[in-house]
Amino acid sequence: MLTGRRILAGAFVATIVGLFLSPAFAFGDGVEGQCPATSPDCDITGSSSANHGDDGNDDNSGTNNAGGGSNASADPCTYQLADPQPPPGSDGQSVGSGAYYVQTCPFGEGSSVRMIWLATPPANLGPSPAALARRALARIRLEGARIGIAPDPNGAGLIGLPVWLWTAVTANTWGPTTASASDGGLTVTITGRATQIVWNMGDGSSVTCANPGTPYQASYGAARSPNCGYPAAGDNGPGYHLPSRTQPDGRYHITATTSWRVEWVGGGQHGVINTTRTSQTAIRIDELQVAVS
C-alpha cells in the first residue's frame, strides 16, 4: 500500500507522463519507451533492492517492506529503480529525496508500464524484466553442437576430399527453446534460437554456417556438403593441405562455437541476450598413397 507521501507523489504522474512523451529512450536491453525532454539520450534500466534481488529463487512473495511501508500485497504493482535518474526537479515537481521508478502493474491479461516519481522507495521493489530474463535463462539448457562430421573421427579422411560438418538438431542444440520467470506480478518469457556455428578447423582456418548443416550419407560419395563443410584444398576454399600427422598428437582438433540469440519479453519491455556454447571433436587426415609398379 502506498503511503500518503506516495499517493501525493502519484498525483504528479500526469505531469510526469507528459514530460516523458518526448524522444524515445531504451528500457534496458534496447526496449523503447520515452525520455524526458531534459535527457533525450537517456537509457533506462532496472535494479533490484538489497533485500529482494535476483537471487535465482522465484518465490513470488512480493512482501519486501523496503522504506518502512505496509505489506506489499496490497499493491499489485512491481517497481524497478530507473537508472539513470532524470535530473532532480526536471518535471518541475519531483524534488527532495525521492526517485523515479519503472512501475509495472497488471492490466487485463497483460501489464501496464510507466515511469513515476515516489518520495520513498516502494515496498515491493523487485528485479527488472531484464534480470528476470536472465533468471529464466538459467532454467533452460543451451548446448553446443552435437557434432556430426565426415570423415568419421574413428576413421580417417584424405587430403583432397571435403569435410562435412553438422549438428544434430534438438531444442537444446539449435532451438527454439523457451522458459519463463516471475516475481510478484511481473512475468518474463524467453525464447532461445541458435543463429550460427563457427567451426575452427584446427589448422588456423574456420567455417561459419548459419544453419545446422546436412548429415553425411555414404551415397554422397566425395561430393561437398550443400550448406556446411570444409572444402577440399583448392576447391574454392582452403581445405586441409597437410596430413594430420604434422599435428602434435596426429589429429586436427575442431571446435564448434554455437551463437545463441535469446529474446525476452515481459512487463511491457523486450530485449535480447546473446551467448555462446562450444563443443569439440578431432579427426585424422591422411595423404593418398599412390602405388607405383
Side-chain angles (χ1 to χ4, degrees):
M1 178 175 180
L2 297 178
T3 66
R5 293 181 67 188
R6 293 174 193 147
I7 294 173
L8 178 61
F12 298 149
V13 169
T15 300
I16 295 170
V17 170
L19 173 68
F20 285 88
L21 293 179
S22 55
F25 71 80
F27 281 106
D29 292 81
V31 182
E32 291 188 358
Q34 297 298 327
C35 202
T38 54
S39 185
D41 295 320
C42 66
D43 190 29
I44 303 300
T45 60
S47 63
S48 303
S49 69
N51 296 325
H52 194 59
D54 184 15
D55 58 4
N57 297 317
D58 187 14
D59 58 12
N60 295 312
S61 61
T63 57
N64 180 36
N65 196 16
S70 59
N71 194 299
S73 61
D75 181 1
C77 303
T78 57
Y79 301 83
Q80 296 85 41
L81 184 67
D83 180 17
Q85 290 280 303
S90 60
D91 61 359
Q93 299 185 60
S94 55
V95 295
S97 60
Y100 284 99
Y101 296 85
V102 178
Q103 180 195 60
T104 303
C105 301
F107 185 78
E109 295 182 357
S111 302
S112 65
V113 181
R114 62 178 177 176
M115 180 86 70
I116 65 172
W117 182 89
L118 299 176
T120 57
N124 44 349
L125 188 63
S128 67
L132 274 183
R134 292 196 175 275
R135 185 182 297 181
L137 179 58
R139 295 178 175 174
I140 61 177
R141 190 174 77 254
L142 304 182
E143 298 178 352
R146 293 186 188 175
I147 295 176
I149 190 168
D152 190 299
N154 294 321
L158 293 173
I159 291 177
L161 294 179
V163 176
W164 288 54
L165 305 165
W166 70 93
T167 178
V169 177
T170 70
N172 302 114
T173 60
W174 195 256
T177 181
T178 64
S180 296
S182 299
D183 193 292
L186 177 62
T187 297
V188 172
T189 299
I190 65 170
T191 302
R193 293 180 174 86
T195 59
Q196 67 175 25
I197 301 176
V198 177
W199 301 82
N200 186 315
M201 302 305 296
D203 64 346
S205 296
S206 64
V207 175
T208 300
C209 299
N211 57 76
T214 300
Y216 179 79
Q217 298 181 26
S219 60
Y220 297 150
R224 293 175 54 182
S225 170
N227 52 7
C228 186
Y230 196 39
D235 185 12
N236 296 322
Y240 289 117
H241 292 264
L242 298 173
S244 58
R245 59 180 170 77
T246 61
Q247 302 301 302
D249 63 351
R251 302 174 76 85
Y252 284 112
H253 290 263
I254 298 171
T255 300
T257 302
T258 303
S259 295
W260 285 89
R261 177 182 173 89
V262 181
E263 298 178 343
W264 62 263
V265 60
Q269 303 181 35
H270 61 88
V272 174
I273 302 171
N274 294 305
T275 187
T276 61
R277 299 291 187 272
T278 61
S279 50
Q280 297 179 327
T281 190
I283 60 173
R284 195 172 85 243
I285 300 294
D286 293 337
E287 293 175 296
L288 180 63
Q289 300 297 320
V290 178
V292 179
S293 58

